[in-house]
Amino acid sequence: MSERKLWIDHVTWTRSFIVSDLASLEDKSDVLERLLKNQEDIGNSIKPYYGEEAGNKLTTLLKEHIELAGQVTDAAKNNNKDDLEKYNKLWYENADKIARFLSSANPNYSEKTLKNMLYKHLEFTTDQVVARLNKNWKADINTYDKGEDYMIHFADILVDGIIKQFPDKFK
């Protein structure tokens, strides 16, 4: 599966989870299960280059990312400002860990660039939650579209770095 498809799925299933969670839909647990499967798929996608342990580590970090996203969404839904602040802080710390992990695996990745990109992803996700809570459907759709484009760019950066690090695997 292409890296772009994996990251498009990431934002698509995240959006689906946000919709299901905020509307208290019956499919919430099934959507979450699919979203978590996507995190495994992303982790598996790096195993041919970085090995089993690294792929599993990325999966763990990404599943933590999703767990925290759910806690941020629930706190926003319930207007719990203390939990929102607490989980949002942890969510950004998780983005730091992901950026640090990826940049330590590949010298072609700038930790600062990856961190900034992940922060922007968190902003787009937060903006979707806020737009849905405010029933601003056009802003919700617009933010999703921007976030999807952004994650395609993120996927391209990851692939470019892997190609530079392992050029023999791409001849």
Side-chain angles (χ1 to χ4, degrees):
M1 186 175 292
S2 80
E3 207 65 28
R4 278 185 170 188
K5 170 80 167 102
L6 291 170
W7 289 99
I8 290 169
D9 282 356
H10 178 81
V11 294
T12 300
W13 288 109
T14 297
R15 176 183 173 72
S16 189
F17 177 76
I18 289 167
V19 169
S20 295
D21 188 17
L22 293 179
S24 300
L25 299 178
E26 293 178 19
D27 71 343
K28 177 183 166 184
S29 63
D30 292 323
V31 171
L32 178 59
E33 182 180 322
R34 177 59 181 88
L35 177 56
L36 291 172
K37 172 73 170 85
N38 171 250
Q39 308 323 294
E40 292 173 13
D41 294 341
I42 293 170
N44 288 338
S45 77
I46 71 162
K47 287 179 181 179
Y49 311 102
Y50 302 107
E52 186 85 16
E53 187 177 329
N56 292 341
K57 172 74 173 173
L58 182 57
T59 296
T60 298
L61 289 169
L62 290 170
K63 284 185 173 184
E64 180 181 306
H65 164 74
I66 298 305
E67 178 185 324
L68 290 165
Q71 292 168 320
V72 167
T73 301
D74 285 342
K77 177 181 172 181
N78 297 318
N79 201 24
N80 184 330
K81 290 183 187 352
D82 290 340
D83 276 357
L84 183 59
E85 185 178 316
K86 173 177 128 182
Y87 291 121
N88 205 45
K89 182 177 185 282
L90 291 171
W91 203 23
Y92 277 81
E93 288 174 5
N94 169 261
D96 293 344
K97 290 177 190 174
I98 294 169
R100 191 173 316 114
F101 170 74
L102 290 172
S103 64
S104 71
N106 188 321
N108 298 297
Y109 298 148
S110 158
E111 182 177 348
K112 182 179 181 203
T113 298
L114 293 179
K115 185 186 299 189
N116 289 340
M117 292 195 77
L118 290 168
Y119 282 14
K120 190 69 177 168
H121 166 60
L122 299 183
E123 288 174 32
F124 282 129
T125 304
T126 300
D127 290 348
Q128 284 181 63
V129 171
V130 170
R132 289 201 72 77
L133 286 171
N134 291 323
K135 300 182 187 305
N136 187 343
W137 313 125
K138 289 192 186 305
D140 173 39
I141 292 165
N142 187 44
T143 302
Y144 169 80
D145 286 342
K146 287 179 182 177
E148 181 184 57
D149 289 344
Y150 203 77
M151 290 314 285
I152 290 170
H153 179 61
F154 182 76
D156 289 348
I157 287 174
L158 295 180
V159 169
D160 288 347
I162 289 171
I163 291 170
K164 285 177 184 169
Q165 189 176 17
F166 302 101
D168 293 343
K169 292 191 178 203
F170 296 94
K171 288 186 177 180

